[in-house]
Amino acid sequence: QVQLVESGGGSVQAGGSLRLSCTFSGGTSSGYCLAWFRQAPGKEREGVATINRVGSTAYADSVKGRVTISLDNAKNTLYLQMNSLKPEDTAMYYCAAGHKIFCSLDGVDYNYWGQGTQVTVSS
């Protein structure tokens, strides 16, 4: 069983930055993918970024160039650095873990989810 706990959300103005953190425990092996998803009210869940335990990453087109996912294996912590934030980035952000060979941005590939952290960007 994998446990994930997010932190770092908050309210910022457009153009600002936030760094989300997700501490995970429960023995994610080298075969795990870790990812950030988000869901805004009335909208479907969207994959934001994913990373595997050796550092290969993938991003949604909507955030490319503005967002960086990173992983500190020693601290068992996943990060999402978000810059140049836009009002449309407002959502609940979740970290997730899944045991997959190839990491995707499809939520069905992830078995474990955190409780979420809210990001609100005002114009």
Side-chain angles (χ1 to χ4, degrees):
Q1 189 77 8
V2 178
Q3 293 83 40
L4 305 117
V5 180
E6 303 96 335
S7 61
S11 297
V12 296
Q13 290 192 327
S17 299
L18 278 175
R19 188 176 80 157
L20 307 183
S21 299
C22 173
T23 302
F24 54 90
S25 60
T28 53
S29 67
S30 60
Y32 268 84
C33 297
L34 294 157
W36 287 97
F37 289 81
R38 66 186 182 185
Q39 188 166 20
K43 294 189 176 181
E44 292 187 356
R45 182 177 58 198
E46 175 189 21
V48 177
T50 185
I51 189 169
N52 64 14
R53 296 303 294 265
V54 296
S56 296
T57 60
Y59 296 90
D61 289 342
S62 58
V63 301
K64 273 182 185 175
R66 302 188 296 119
V67 162
T68 303
I69 189 171
S70 61
L71 177 62
D72 187 331
N73 285 308
K75 295 182 178 180
N76 276 3
T77 302
L78 178 72
Y79 300 100
L80 188 70
Q81 177 68 44
M82 301 189 293
N83 301 321
S84 302
L85 283 162
K86 305 174 181 180
E88 50 263 45
D89 294 318
T90 295
M92 184 72 78
Y93 283 71
Y94 300 90
C95 66
H99 195 196
K100 288 288 182 179
I101 295 174
F102 299 106
C103 298
S104 79
L105 291 175
D106 190 338
V108 299
D109 287 339
Y110 294 83
N111 308 101
Y112 304 101
W113 296 80
Q115 82 289 350
T117 186
Q118 178 68 38
V119 171
T120 303
V121 184
S122 58
S123 57

